[in-house]
Amino acid sequence: MRRGDAPADLGFTGVPTTQDGGADTMRPGALRGAARGRNLDGLAHTLFLRLSPVIAAVVLTTQVVIAWVNYGDQIRLSGERAQLMADMTARALAHPGWTTDYARPLQAVGLDPAFRYAVLRDASGNVVARLGEEPRGRNFERIQVSAEIDPGTAAQPAGSLTLVLSAEDLRANAEKQFVMVLGASLVLMLAFALALRLAVGRHVLVPLRRLLSAMGQVEHKEWVTVDLAGRRRPSREIADISAAFNRMVEGLRSGDEARNLLAELERTHARLAEANGLVMESLGYARRIQQAVLPGPDATLGEAGFEVAVLWEPLHVVGGDYYWIEEIDGLAIVVVADCTGHGVPGAFLTLIVATALDRILHDRGLRRPDEILAVLDGVVRTRLRQDGTASDGSDDGLDCGICVVDRANDTLDFAGAGLALTVLAEGETTRVKGRRHGLGYRRTGREEPFAAIRLPLRDGQTFFLMTDGVSDQMGGPSRRLLGHRGVAEILRRHRRLSLAEQVSALEAALAAHRGPEPRRDDMALVAFRPRSG
């Protein structure tokens, strides 16, 4: 096969080629136009012209061979029957004086419908008798057999009988069978042509028309696909082509949608960037406000004789953790609060707590930690509308711990609501817990009364008030919470450092424990201890 034979046999001799590898053929509309240039219905006609001679030759050859075999079998059977008749007649004539007494056996042979001619000869070959007309014409139209007449009285046969039967009926039957074969072949060809046209139309032409129609719509950017289901399902090859076309359409549609989405995304991104700038500007201003509400860097308890260190790190720009440090009337007051949530909602609650604490400590002059918690609880409930029956009241609140230290009497009064006081002394840590329930929130009827716990001050003691954002650090090889025990262990390891160095070491240890894990909450911690001497 030469290189051009295969394309020529497949009908591609008229397809133009280009130097660009087919780019001209794949221009918009080229495939659809090329397909319209050829009559799709001609496919069934072409297949019929190509296949029908082969099928006709196979069918005719098969039927002719079968007819020839049948004809040969019939000729053989007829020859055997003729030979049997000749042998029986010869035996009937095998007696002395047969040359004069032959009429009845010979006449019996003549009764056969296929009988045409019989001749008796003696041992010398002379004709003794004849019956019928000597046949003329073609030899294949007759069956001729011979039998010897042997009466058994001599060493040599006494004569011979030659019998001729007609084979015209067999030939006529063979011709009739051939005509029937020819007619059956024509019927088969017609049935084949009809079945071929129906099959090609159902499984090839109709799916191709659907494919071409879809191509026309895709050319106008109507992203339609070819349905491969239904009654007129395509052949496997056309189904593969249609599936590839559907994937191409999905890719084109995705690309077009991606371009539109990208343009819309860019516009949305610009709007979001503008909105984000406004939000971040607002949050930055909110952070400055919150930091202004917190105690300033000069807020220490140095005159009260305490060393103080603070860790305050909101999860976002602003947070819901708050602390208060102040010396009033010779008393050192330390407050740490953990408001519900974090971010902007928590920051709003810290403003309520800061305002309430200022009024409680300065306007009302309260100094007992349990009384301060009780009044703060009432203020929060009132501000959040939790004491009434209004349906819009919130279920928010805060955990809070308050320490009031009297250096004159060397006592520390602590009261907590959901927050504990950690005491580090002589290398051991102790947690002093307050009330389990926090401040605010909707009442359940199971709230415990506020109570103050008095602790004596001794040298070497360090006190820590911290929110649960410090201890709830997820990390480590087993991804577990650090917990209060983990925080206490870190504090014990660094107890000989100054408070500022202890807080820095704690912050570094927390970051190492988290690793790649993000922080989960705001962090606030106030550490203080009496100065020696």
Side-chain angles (χ1 to χ4, degrees):
M1 180 180 291
R2 293 187 300 273
R3 184 170 59 182
D5 290 344
D9 291 340
L10 294 175
F12 290 111
T13 54
V15 178
T17 58
T18 59
Q19 298 298 324
D20 60 353
D24 183 64
T25 305
M26 293 309 295
R27 69 183 185 276
L31 183 59
R32 178 170 54 87
R36 285 183 175 176
R38 300 172 64 98
N39 185 6
L40 292 178
D41 292 333
L43 179 61
H45 179 70
T46 302
L47 290 176
F48 176 74
L49 292 180
R50 296 291 180 88
L51 297 179
S52 58
V54 178
I55 296 176
V58 172
V59 172
L60 285 175
T61 302
T62 303
Q63 295 298 329
V64 167
V65 170
I66 293 174
W68 179 258
V69 171
N70 290 337
Y71 179 70
D73 290 342
Q74 292 177 2
I75 290 294
R76 181 178 56 79
L77 291 175
S78 296
E80 292 176 355
R81 186 171 67 86
Q83 188 64 50
L84 180 61
M85 291 175 58
D87 292 341
M88 293 177 65
T89 305
R91 283 195 295 271
L93 293 172
H95 58 81
W98 64 274
T99 55
T100 57
D101 187 13
Y102 56 79
R104 293 183 63 185
L106 203 61
Q107 290 175 355
V109 174
L111 296 176
D112 190 280
F115 175 80
R116 289 294 179 269
Y117 177 69
V119 60
L120 284 174
R121 290 183 174 87
D122 57 14
S124 299
N126 298 321
V127 176
V128 176
R130 296 176 187 274
L131 182 63
E133 298 181 359
E134 186 175 357
R136 294 180 178 85
R138 296 168 292 187
N139 292 331
F140 63 83
E141 292 183 350
R142 61 178 178 268
I143 300 173
Q144 181 174 328
V145 296
S146 298
E148 296 179 346
I149 301 174
D150 187 7
T153 58
Q156 297 294 330
S160 63
L161 171 65
T162 300
L163 180 63
V164 179
L165 297 181
S166 175
E168 294 179 357
D169 291 341
L170 298 179
R171 180 180 59 79
N173 289 335
E175 292 176 352
K176 185 185 298 184
Q177 185 176 5
F178 179 76
V179 172
M180 293 177 62
V181 167
L182 184 60
S185 300
L186 293 176
V187 172
L188 286 175
M189 293 303 300
L190 292 176
F192 167 74
L194 180 61
L196 179 64
R197 186 171 185 83
L198 291 176
V200 171
R202 177 183 294 270
H203 300 293
V204 177
L205 300 182
V206 172
L208 279 179
R209 290 193 184 98
R210 288 190 297 183
L211 183 59
L212 293 177
S213 176
M215 287 180 181
Q217 293 178 274
V218 169
E219 186 178 2
H220 295 88
K221 289 192 175 182
E222 298 178 12
W223 308 118
V224 299
T225 56
V226 179
D227 185 12
L228 301 179
R231 295 175 56 191
R232 299 178 181 268
R233 300 190 63 183
S235 62
R236 180 174 60 84
E237 292 79 6
I238 297 181
D240 293 341
I241 295 174
S242 301
F245 173 78
N246 290 342
R247 291 193 296 270
M248 180 191 71
V249 170
E250 290 298 331
L252 292 174
R253 175 166 53 192
S254 299
D256 190 62
E257 292 177 353
R259 285 190 294 270
N260 295 333
L261 289 175
L262 183 59
E264 181 62 28
L265 183 61
E266 290 177 351
R267 292 190 293 269
T268 304
H269 180 73
R271 294 194 295 268
L272 287 177
E274 182 181 359
N276 184 65
L278 295 175
V279 171
M280 293 306 297
E281 183 179 354
S282 299
L283 286 177
Y285 187 66
R287 181 180 178 90
R288 289 195 297 272
I289 294 175
Q290 188 174 36
Q291 288 178 336
V293 173
L294 292 171
D298 56 345
T300 62
L301 301 177
E303 295 183 3
F306 285 93
E307 180 185 357
V308 179
V310 176
L311 170 64
W312 181 78
E313 188 63 38
L315 182 63
H316 302 302
V317 181
V318 292
D321 284 1
Y322 178 76
Y323 68 94
W324 180 291
I325 301 173
E326 188 176 6
E327 183 180 352
I328 306 175
D329 299 334
L331 300 176
I333 299 177
V334 178
V335 180
V336 173
D338 183 1
C339 300
T340 302
H342 42 74
V344 175
F348 274 109
L349 278 177
T350 61
L351 296 179
I352 296 176
V353 173
T355 303
L357 281 175
D358 183 69
R359 292 185 178 181
I360 291 171
L361 295 176
H362 296 95
D363 295 346
R364 302 187 59 172
L366 297 181
R367 299 293 181 265
R368 290 182 54 83
D370 51 342
E371 294 177 353
I372 296 172
L373 286 179
V375 175
L376 182 60
D377 180 50
V379 172
V380 171
R381 291 182 183 278
T382 301
R383 294 292 179 87
L384 299 182
R385 303 179 183 177
Q386 294 173 340
D387 284 335
T389 58
S391 59
D392 59 345
S394 70
D395 191 21
D396 300 311
L398 64 144
D399 295 335
C400 185
I402 300 178
C403 292
V404 178
V405 186
D406 184 359
R407 282 307 303 269
N409 298 313
D410 287 333
T411 59
L412 183 148
D413 293 333
F414 168 76
L419 214 66
L421 173 66
T422 300
V423 182
L424 175 62
E426 299 179 355
E428 297 294 332
T429 58
T430 305
R431 291 189 69 210
V432 181
K433 298 180 180 180
R435 194 178 80 157
R436 185 176 57 182
H437 299 90
L439 305 181
Y441 304 105
R442 293 177 183 172
R443 294 188 183 275
T444 62
R446 298 189 300 271
E447 290 82 3
E448 304 169 4
F450 297 101
I453 300 174
R454 174 161 292 184
L455 302 176
L457 289 182
R458 295 192 298 270
D459 292 337
Q461 289 179 320
T462 305
F463 302 93
F464 300 90
L465 272 178
M466 69 186 79
T467 62
D468 57 6
V470 177
S471 57
D472 292 349
Q473 303 277 341
M474 181 71 73
S478 58
R479 292 191 73 253
R480 60 180 181 83
L481 287 176
L482 180 62
H484 291 284
R485 292 184 179 179
V487 174
E489 179 61 28
I490 295 173
L491 295 176
R492 278 197 300 269
R493 290 201 305 264
H494 303 90
R495 63 183 181 275
R496 302 189 183 280
L497 301 176
S498 65
L499 281 187
E501 293 173 337
Q502 287 187 36
V503 171
S504 298
L506 174 63
E507 190 173 8
L510 294 178
H513 176 77
R514 286 195 308 271
E517 293 285 338
R519 261 194 317 120
R520 304 169 61 182
D521 201 356
D522 305 318
M523 292 193 305
L525 178 144
V526 176
F528 60 96
R529 63 185 175 189
R531 294 184 184 275
S532 59

